[in-house]
Amino acid sequence: MEWNEKLQIIIDYVENRLQRRQEPIDPREIAEIAGCSFGFFQKVFCYMNGISFSEYVRSRKMTLAGYELKSTDKRVVEVSYQYGYDSPTSFTKAFQQFHGATPKDARRQDVRLRAVPKMQLPVKQEYQWKLEQKGPFRLIGTSLRLSRRNGDHAAKIPGFWSDCQKNGTFSRLASMDAGTPKGLFGLFRRDEKNPDALEYCIMVKADAALPEGWTEIVIPKTAWAVFDCVGPVPQAIQNGWRFLEEEWLVNYPFEHANCPELEWYSDGNAYAADYWSQILIPVADGKQSACKQTDRRTKNE
């Protein structure tokens, strides 16, 4: 594996620890991925990127902490512990040095916060895709209502995945998964009446009864353009969407069917270099009618 590939896996590992699992970064795991000592990895990282690894991680922590304070009602002490600080005092000092404002002031609407995005590395990309008839199939799972304003949805989705891992939702989904091969689906559903509102769902194919508080989508048989994404997530999926938005979705000769676009995540090590995920775009060629979606939701959501 080339160094850039290893570095991308480590960057994704950092994001997973900070956003989804909310656990400390383990130098031993980084050394194992890099195939060298942690000290040597730090030297190479700094040489290649012009910033120390510890400074990059600290910048990402402060960026994400800013998102948390702006978009949630969490107390400062909760956010400080979430990002690995021993006390609110040390967190407040680091936050103010990075953003130029205290965590308390950050919640004011007129305060502008600094944001250092996740590092992106140039990676060779090649995609395989096919047209495939699928369905009908039924998806069940849990969902989160979001707003598109100010990028609110982009900030909250990683936390939603993290919550599902922690509260046992992933285990429940896996136990109901009737797909072949098995895997999780991610999808957006837009509100036709409110263009700023949308719903993000994490689901599986299932025949089981719909659990209380969950939602289901039944998608009739339709044609799909299926794109294979190979590599650790979320980078592989993000690169796939970038390719689709910049090239394929601009030029493809198919009519988009009336179904949600899907992401599919296989059952495996999501940080492996050969991890397999897919993006599925519903298409209609004019000979088939647009796909109609049925939706039923249990009460007490």
Side-chain angles (χ1 to χ4, degrees):
M1 187 186 303
E2 295 181 2
W3 178 258
N4 269 8
E5 294 176 293
K6 293 179 179 179
L7 186 54
Q8 188 62 65
I9 294 173
I10 290 171
I11 290 170
D12 293 337
Y13 164 88
V14 169
E15 293 298 311
N16 182 62
R17 287 282 173 146
L18 294 180
Q19 296 197 58
R20 294 189 181 180
R21 298 174 64 175
Q22 296 175 6
E23 296 176 356
I25 293 166
D26 189 339
R28 293 171 299 180
E29 293 185 357
I30 290 179
E32 184 177 350
I33 297 170
C36 62
S37 70
F38 181 64
F40 184 74
F41 162 76
Q42 289 179 298
K43 291 180 181 179
V44 175
F45 184 96
C46 185
Y47 176 78
M48 290 183 62
N49 302 296
I51 182 175
S52 71
F53 181 66
S54 60
E55 184 180 352
Y56 170 71
V57 172
R58 185 165 53 252
S59 296
R60 288 299 297 149
K61 284 183 178 181
M62 291 296 100
T63 296
L64 297 171
Y67 294 156
E68 292 280 356
L69 291 171
K70 281 286 193 184
S71 63
T72 74
D73 296 325
K74 289 182 179 178
R75 296 179 300 162
V76 172
V77 64
E78 292 180 87
V79 178
S80 67
Y81 292 140
Q82 177 178 332
Y83 289 103
Y85 285 83
D86 295 331
S87 70
T89 302
S90 59
F91 170 74
T92 297
K93 182 179 179 180
F95 191 94
Q96 190 164 14
Q97 287 177 340
F98 183 80
H99 290 288
T102 66
K104 182 178 179 180
D105 290 338
R107 287 203 153 111
R108 296 208 321 262
Q109 189 172 4
D110 61 337
V111 172
R112 301 179 69 178
L113 300 181
R114 181 182 170 196
V116 173
K118 174 185 173 183
M119 188 176 289
Q120 302 289 344
L121 299 175
V123 179
K124 295 178 182 178
Q125 294 292 326
E126 182 176 320
Y127 297 96
Q128 293 185 347
W129 71 285
K130 62 182 177 180
L131 288 175
E132 183 178 355
Q133 288 282 341
K134 289 181 177 289
F137 57 92
R138 172 180 179 255
L139 300 176
I140 69 170
T142 185
S143 63
L144 177 70
R145 288 184 173 86
L146 301 165
S147 170
R148 295 168 60 89
R149 293 181 180 177
N150 301 320
D152 178 60
H153 62 295
K156 288 188 175 180
I157 288 174
F160 182 45
W161 279 87
S162 176
D163 290 343
C164 288
Q165 286 180 320
K166 292 178 180 179
N167 63 24
T169 299
F170 277 14
S171 297
R172 293 184 68 189
L173 286 166
S175 67
M176 299 178 183
D177 191 353
T180 304
K182 296 184 180 298
L184 291 175
F185 288 85
L187 64 106
F188 284 103
R189 296 197 294 173
R190 291 172 174 78
D191 188 333
E192 295 181 359
K193 297 181 180 179
N194 183 359
D196 288 328
L198 54 80
E199 185 176 24
Y200 184 78
C201 306
I202 301 175
M203 315 183 94
V204 292
K205 288 184 179 180
D207 301 317
L210 187 65
E212 186 174 3
W214 283 22
T215 185
E216 72 172 8
I217 302 173
V218 179
I219 301 180
K221 181 178 180 181
T222 191
W224 299 83
V226 182
F227 292 82
D228 288 332
C229 301
V230 178
V233 294
Q235 189 64 37
I237 282 284
Q238 291 172 348
N239 287 339
W241 278 115
R242 189 176 298 113
F243 160 73
L244 290 173
E245 291 167 359
E246 293 176 356
E247 181 175 335
W248 196 82
L249 290 175
V250 176
N251 300 313
Y252 79 111
F254 305 99
E255 178 187 352
H256 196 295
N258 185 26
C259 292
E261 296 165 350
L262 303 176
E263 298 171 349
W264 179 78
Y265 301 91
S266 64
D267 182 17
N269 179 5
Y271 296 99
D274 59 351
Y275 179 73
W276 177 36
S277 56
Q278 292 181 328
I279 297 173
L280 297 90
I281 309 293
V283 299
D285 60 8
K287 296 180 180 179
Q288 64 182 129
S289 59
C291 175
K292 294 184 178 180
Q293 173 180 316
T294 61
D295 181 14
R296 184 167 67 86
R297 188 186 305 274
T298 54
K299 296 181 179 179
N300 193 32
E301 287 191 79

